[in-house]
Amino acid sequence: MQAHWEHFEHLADIGVRGYGDTPAEAFAQAALALTAIVTELEAVRPVEQVAVRCEDEDLEYLFVAWLNALVFEMATRRMLFSRFDVQIEAGVLRATLCGETVDRERHRPVVEVKGATLTELAVHSLPEGGWLAQCIVDV
């Protein structure tokens, strides 16, 4: 499966969906979809690294924790990220986020993501192979 991401419609907010050969790859693609809500991904240079760790035995709740950790890092560090190295093992997610401090003129952020929700939450393998991770994010 070619890893990729997409947005999907929701009445008031926006859905993010990631696809990959593994849950970790699908999580990384969904993170790209989340960043793409805020700005053009091509505008974000991966010059600084931030480590993130989340833990949950349930893969769906781990996905929500992952996206909320990303939102937290974006807000508190005032950074945007365009590269995600995600590893998941025994309910523990470890990731390296690569990005840079927000430059309002270059990044032109259009909206703030407030957090991931349980709405339309799904993480599962696909019949044709690969994995999907999705949920609605509050904007």
Side-chain angles (χ1 to χ4, degrees):
M1 162 179 274
Q2 175 85 21
H4 64 285
W5 61 267
E6 64 187 14
H7 296 138
F8 61 95
E9 290 191 32
H10 183 262
L11 291 177
D13 296 306
I14 300 172
V16 294
R17 185 176 286 148
Y19 297 92
D21 287 333
T22 64
E25 194 172 74
F27 281 32
Q29 289 296 313
L32 289 170
L34 188 144
T35 302
I37 293 171
V38 179
T39 190
E40 297 286 333
L41 287 172
E42 298 78 21
V44 182
R45 297 177 299 198
V47 294
E48 294 182 47
Q49 295 185 347
V50 174
V52 169
R53 182 184 185 282
C54 305
E55 186 172 341
D56 200 303
E57 291 299 319
D58 183 290
L59 200 54
E60 289 183 336
Y61 289 128
L62 184 62
F63 179 61
V64 171
W66 156 240
L67 292 183
N68 282 328
L70 173 58
V71 170
F72 175 82
E73 296 298 336
M74 291 168 68
T76 59
R77 296 177 186 270
R78 298 175 190 249
M79 291 181 68
L80 292 168
F81 302 97
S82 60
R83 190 178 304 158
F84 304 93
D85 177 23
V86 179
Q87 299 173 356
I88 300 171
E89 186 175 326
V92 177
L93 179 151
R94 290 182 175 83
T96 301
L97 319 177
C98 300
E100 64 178 326
T101 302
V102 173
D103 177 331
R104 290 202 168 277
E105 287 199 23
R106 190 161 43 83
H107 295 128
R108 300 181 188 267
V110 294
V111 68
E112 179 183 1
V113 177
K114 298 173 189 161
T117 74
L118 301 180
T119 305
E120 299 199 36
L121 174 61
V123 176
H124 59 80
S125 60
L126 299 167
E128 64 273 18
W131 283 79
L132 171 141
Q134 72 170 34
C135 74
I136 300 297
V137 295
D138 187 17
V139 292

